[in-house]
Amino acid sequence: MSPAGQDVWVHIEHLRGKVAGHTYELLGKGREIADALGGQLIAVLVGNEVQPLAETLAADGVLYVEDAGLAEYTPGSHAAVIRALVEKEAPRVVLFGATSMGMDLAAVLAAVLERPLIVNCVNLQVRDGRTVATSQMCGGKLLCEAEASGPVVVTVMPGSFPSEAGLAKSPPPVEVVPMPAPLEAVGMRAIRILEPEPGDVDITKSAVLVAVGRGIQRQDNIPLAEELAGALGGTVCASRPVVDQGWLPMSRQVGKSGMIVKPKLYLALGISGAPEHAEGMKDSDLIIAVNSDAKAPIFDIADYGIVIDMYDLLPALTQALRGRRA
Amino acid sequence: MRIAVLLNMVPDLVEELEIDSTGKALDTQWMRYVISESDDHALEQALLLKDRHGASVSVLAMDYGDADQVLYAALARGADEAVNLTGIPETGLGKRAAAATFKEALGGIRPDLILAGVQAIDDLDAHVAGMLGGMMALPYVGVTRSVEPSGEGKVLVQKEYPGGAAAEIEVTLPAVVGVLSAPQPPRYVPVARIREVMKTRTLDKREAVAVAVPAEPAVIRLFKPEPAEHAQMLDGSPEELAGQIIKILEDRGLAP
């Protein structure tokens, strides 16, 4: 590792024996940042019997910590290990995904190490020796450009950078590091992984999705979307607020903690387009967005947009589709 | 079990957000604050634990925006105590400073379990709960969808993963949990009930202790995103729009 403290570290997120896809995005961008800072790009891999995962990582080196106590992820155990490594090697930038795991680890590490924390980053560069990050705020309605002159912890929104540059052409050197921190005191243990309950339908297999968001307003209005989906030969899905209200089951949720979908048609009704939702649907073949707010971020990722109260459009569209079939 | 819930006030995204003359911060003059959505779920999670298993629930918020209203609503929903931390700048605090301020305020409560939303939407370092866990050297799990007691001095949390999966993690108390969502939507209380509570209950006003925090990232500029691509906008009557949509679907071979 570089003694100059200019290294860039990337947390290698993995689950069920697979490296999470966004990790390669972090490695690709991390390479640019490490080169600009004059440091090395180091992948930090923590787990049990997962060393083969290192072969795919495009980095100058991999720090690998293995222990039976790390077999299943817990924030406490993994944060303790990474903290000990960071305290010893003092990298300049530590990158995590803005994910379920990355959010845990980055926040705790930034606090205990007293490093600045920048979250939900969508762009990252080095300017005059400073790390400059651009982050999404307020559900994607604002961007904030901020700089850190010294060490910093950053979480990066998945999908922000290309992943190709993060895939190794040849295996990187791996340094197996003895357990740097005791795990007895972390105060938590993983019990089991809960697989998603089988839903009534698998929305990832539907070619046509009618998605409803907060704009649907009431559970009583869901049938309107179902009628439209029926007329289109598709399925109704939803953004998080609708599922949180209990109006549709979790198996219908699209987004960061829901399903990733790529249908031929994604008709978004009353969905603002917050980054967490966009992450799950932005690669759909055709996106048509309907929203009463002309400034909704969904219009920035949609192919076609309509500013209208959805309740004016829904009956007309359903009727027109039915009439066409008749 | 003694539970503390931390509530953050954030901009209401229904309103137009304006950037102030420095170009580095939101213009808060006319801005409407609402309770952070995941904090609202954290409160619901606490109240569910109280309903099902018995617990005392203390709710803390900082005194800006409509914090009073939110705290009275928390009492109306079932919280036992509402603490308003005064002496806060009108524009609120950065999230690291907020976490440090909450940490000091929690000293007098000594909760077994601290619940807060996993992130707030209005700051660069958004993760109050996670940073608080680090600052207090307590076990921390974030992005949770349920919390249940699990034997003496422990809770079992479900932590969400992508694709609808979750991990079950047993956490020893005292601990901090960053809630993404509660097992049920935040409960509704009628305005009349909140008004009644405002007449019969009082908020515990406490001066917040000024806490020094390490230098935060320096904001260069705050700006609204310029879309690299923008949707082609359609216009017309509902019937005309329906026709245009069907034409698009026909052109792509997607019309049923």
Side-chain angles (χ1 to χ4, degrees), chain A residues 11-16 18 20 22-23 46 71-75 78-79 82 96-109 155 193 256, chain B residues 127 140 142-143 159-162 167 169:
Chain A
H11 171 245
I12 306 304
E13 186 171 318
H14 59 91
L15 191 64
R16 301 185 190 106
K18 280 188 178 175
H22 73 271
T23 296
V46 177
E72 296 294 343
Y73 168 83
T74 71
H78 284 232
I82 298 169
F96 295 91
T99 63
S100 177
M101 290 185 190
M103 287 163 70
D104 284 348
L105 299 171
V108 170
L109 284 170
T155 72
I193 297 288
K256 177 183 268 187
Chain B
H127 301 337
Y140 170 71
V143 197
K159 174 179 174 57
E160 282 202 2
Y161 287 141
I169 298 175

Side-chain angles (χ1 to χ4, degrees), chain A residues 55-175:
Chain A
E55 292 177 6
T56 63
L57 309 174
D60 296 317
V62 178
L63 288 176
Y64 176 51
V65 181
E66 178 172 282
D67 189 89
L70 300 168
E72 296 294 343
Y73 168 83
T74 71
S77 60
H78 284 232
V81 168
I82 298 169
R83 173 189 180 175
L85 297 176
V86 171
E87 284 178 333
K88 182 164 180 272
E89 304 286 352
R92 171 75 175 271
V93 180
V94 186
L95 298 178
F96 295 91
T99 63
S100 177
M101 290 185 190
M103 287 163 70
D104 284 348
L105 299 171
V108 170
L109 284 170
V112 297
L113 298 168
E114 300 197 339
R115 285 182 170 215
L117 171 65
I118 300 178
V119 305
N120 298 334
C121 170
V122 292
N123 197 10
L124 196 62
Q125 54 189 299
V126 175
R127 213 182 284 164
D128 300 328
R130 295 165 184 265
T131 311
V132 178
T134 305
S135 290
Q136 282 181 331
M137 283 174 30
C138 294
K141 288 191 169 184
L142 293 175
L143 291 170
C144 184
E145 191 178 69
E147 64 179 8
S149 56
V152 64
V153 177
V154 180
T155 72
V156 178
M157 295 286 284
S160 299
F161 308 118
S163 60
E164 293 76 21
L167 273 160
K169 294 184 174 67
S170 58
V174 176
E175 181 183 342

Side-chain angles (χ1 to χ4, degrees), chain A residues 100 104 115 119 138 141 143 145-147 187-189 191-192 194 214 240 257-258 299-300 303-305 324, chain B residues 13 37 96 121 124 142 159-160 163 166 168 170 172 180-181 218 220-221 223 227 229 231-232 234 250 256:
Chain A
S100 177
D104 284 348
R115 285 182 170 215
V119 305
C138 294
K141 288 191 169 184
L143 291 170
E145 191 178 69
E147 64 179 8
M188 63 182 76
R189 66 186 179 105
I191 304 296
R192 58 179 173 149
L194 301 168
R214 205 186 295 270
R240 171 145 218 134
S257 53
F299 292 127
D300 298 335
D303 299 287
Y304 295 93
R324 190 175 177 280
Chain B
L13 297 187
E37 191 165 357
R96 183 185 292 261
I121 55 168
L124 275 176
K159 174 179 174 57
E160 282 202 2
E168 252 182 14
E170 189 178 62
T172 302
L180 178 63
S181 65
I220 299 170
R221 64 184 177 126
F223 58 106
E229 292 177 38
Q232 181 181 332
L234 309 178
E250 284 174 344

Side-chain angles (χ1 to χ4, degrees), chain A residues 231-233 321 324-325, chain B residues 249 254-256:
Chain A
L232 280 166
L321 285 163
R324 190 175 177 280
R325 274 183 165 174
Chain B
L249 300 183
L254 292 172

Side-chain angles (χ1 to χ4, degrees), chain B residues 117-163:
Chain B
V118 68
Q119 72 171 326
I121 55 168
D122 63 335
D123 220 330
L124 275 176
D125 54 1
H127 301 337
V128 172
M131 287 191 287
L132 182 70
M135 287 174 187
M136 296 184 78
L138 291 177
Y140 170 71
V141 180
V143 197
T144 68
R145 68 183 189 198
S146 92
V147 182
E148 284 289 328
S150 171
E152 191 63 29
K154 291 178 180 172
V155 290
L156 193 63
V157 303
Q158 283 187 17
K159 174 179 174 57
E160 282 202 2
Y161 287 141

Side-chain angles (χ1 to χ4, degrees), chain B residues 5-22:
Chain B
V5 183
L6 314 180
L7 302 181
N8 291 277
M9 305 299 292
V10 297
D12 185 352
L13 297 187
V14 172
E15 307 283 326
E16 183 70 16
L17 299 175
E18 298 294 341
I19 296 161
D20 73 8
S21 57
T22 69

Side-chain angles (χ1 to χ4, degrees), chain B residues 6-44:
Chain B
L6 314 180
L7 302 181
N8 291 277
M9 305 299 292
V10 297
D12 185 352
L13 297 187
V14 172
E15 307 283 326
E16 183 70 16
L17 299 175
E18 298 294 341
I19 296 161
D20 73 8
S21 57
T22 69
K24 297 182 179 184
L26 280 169
D27 185 345
T28 58
Q29 189 176 6
W30 306 110
M31 200 169 76
R32 187 163 163 251
Y33 288 97
V34 293
I35 182 173
S36 178
E37 191 165 357
S38 57
D39 290 344
D40 203 8
H41 278 267
L43 174 57
E44 184 59 35

